[in-house]
Amino acid sequence: MSWVTTAPGLEDLDAQSRASLEALPVATVPKGQTLFCPGEAARGFVVVLQGRVEVFLTGSTGRDILLYAVEPGESCVQSTLGLLGGTEYSGEALTATDCQLVLIPRDTFLTLMNASQPFRHFVFEAFAERMQGMMTLLERVAFQKVESRLAAALLKGAKGGQLHMTHAELAVQIGSAREVVSRRLDQMAKRGLVQLDRGCITLLNPDRLAQIGASDH
């Protein structure tokens, strides 16, 4: 089966556009691989077929923040901006899991953007959704207190009441520093909201965490 028929959002392509994409190879990329770095030019548009790619922004202090993740049917806003506007990458993309990807080269991408309305719709719809998500992230980091962001992240990431994630990884996810996250978790543990073990956080009071996570200030 062609990868194009399994890629969300590309079902309505015309025959010529579909043929140009079907000629592109599917790459299997292991977890932990860097797809692009700050300062690099966009080489093409990545379509994620399986797995998850995470895009990070690193500040002058060395602190990272998770800008967004790209999963099947979603797009990388930095790649779209680079291809359409000629801007260099400001973030770093890493495969968070083993992935199957297709790289649409720059020339092919631009040709399809000019010639194929369904492809343009796919790109711009995914771009709009991604921008909305980034605006939500900006609002959360700017206006929501650390404890609220942390509680929401704990609830979102927990499986069976437990979250297997380091304090540093949580800090990247919520846009804070590891030391701040560690202090907040210690405070939550003293209040009986969580139990902290090495590499594992157990949620003891999800209802109260949900109240904290819903707080805007």
Side-chain angles (χ1 to χ4, degrees), residues 115-134:
S116 174
Q117 190 277 332
F119 186 78
R120 284 196 303 274
H121 178 76
F122 163 72
V123 171
F124 285 131
E125 183 177 48
F127 183 84
E129 291 177 359
R130 178 63 65 212
M131 287 300 297
Q132 182 60 48
M134 291 185 65

Side-chain angles (χ1 to χ4, degrees), residues 162-177:
Q162 291 188 326
L163 178 68
H164 297 279
M165 187 179 288
T166 67
H167 295 188
E169 290 169 336
L170 271 172
V172 169
Q173 189 171 101
I174 69 170
S176 185

Side-chain angles (χ1 to χ4, degrees), residues 193-215:
L193 302 179
V194 299
Q195 177 181 312
L196 305 179
D197 299 297
R198 186 176 180 85
C200 179
I201 302 170
T202 302
L203 310 191
L204 302 179
N205 193 337
D207 291 340
R208 178 56 185 148
L209 288 172
Q211 293 175 352
I212 295 171
S215 174

Side-chain angles (χ1 to χ4, degrees), residues 24 43-45 83 103-110:
L24 300 174
R43 296 181 294 111
F45 185 86
L83 292 167
L103 177 68
I104 303 176
R106 181 187 183 90
D107 290 346
T108 303
F109 173 83
L110 294 176

Side-chain angles (χ1 to χ4, degrees), residues 77-92:
V77 67
Q78 292 227 332
S79 293
T80 306
L81 289 172
L83 292 167
L84 295 179
T87 57
E88 296 178 339
Y89 287 116
S90 58
E92 180 180 16

Side-chain angles (χ1 to χ4, degrees), residues 21-182:
L21 290 179
E22 287 176 341
L24 300 174
V26 177
T28 299
V29 183
K31 177 182 177 181
Q33 294 296 301
T34 300
L35 299 184
F36 60 74
C37 294
E40 292 182 350
R43 296 181 294 111
F45 185 86
V46 173
V47 178
V48 178
L49 301 178
Q50 292 182 20
R52 175 184 172 95
V53 176
E54 295 181 340
V55 180
F56 300 88
L57 189 66
T58 302
S60 58
T61 61
R63 197 179 84 190
D64 292 330
I65 181 173
L66 177 63
L67 283 179
Y68 54 86
V70 184
E71 296 182 325
E74 299 176 338
S75 72
C76 174
V77 67
Q78 292 227 332
S79 293
T80 306
L81 289 172
L83 292 167
L84 295 179
T87 57
E88 296 178 339
Y89 287 116
S90 58
E92 180 180 16
L94 299 171
T95 51
T97 65
D98 293 343
C99 294
Q100 284 194 334
L101 313 171
V102 175
L103 177 68
I104 303 176
R106 181 187 183 90
D107 290 346
T108 303
F109 173 83
L110 294 176
T111 297
L112 288 171
M113 287 294 289
N114 287 327
S116 174
Q117 190 277 332
F119 186 78
R120 284 196 303 274
H121 178 76
F122 163 72
V123 171
F124 285 131
E125 183 177 48
F127 183 84
E129 291 177 359
R130 178 63 65 212
M131 287 300 297
Q132 182 60 48
M134 291 185 65
M135 292 300 295
T136 300
L137 171 66
L138 177 61
E139 179 181 3
R140 191 166 65 243
V141 171
F143 301 115
Q144 190 178 28
K145 61 185 180 180
V146 171
E147 186 179 48
S148 297
R149 304 202 309 266
L150 179 57
L154 292 174
L155 290 167
K156 182 178 180 180
K159 305 292 184 184
Q162 291 188 326
L163 178 68
H164 297 279
M165 187 179 288
T166 67
H167 295 188
E169 290 169 336
L170 271 172
V172 169
Q173 189 171 101
I174 69 170
S176 185
R178 181 190 59 78
E179 296 80 6
V180 174
V181 167
S182 294

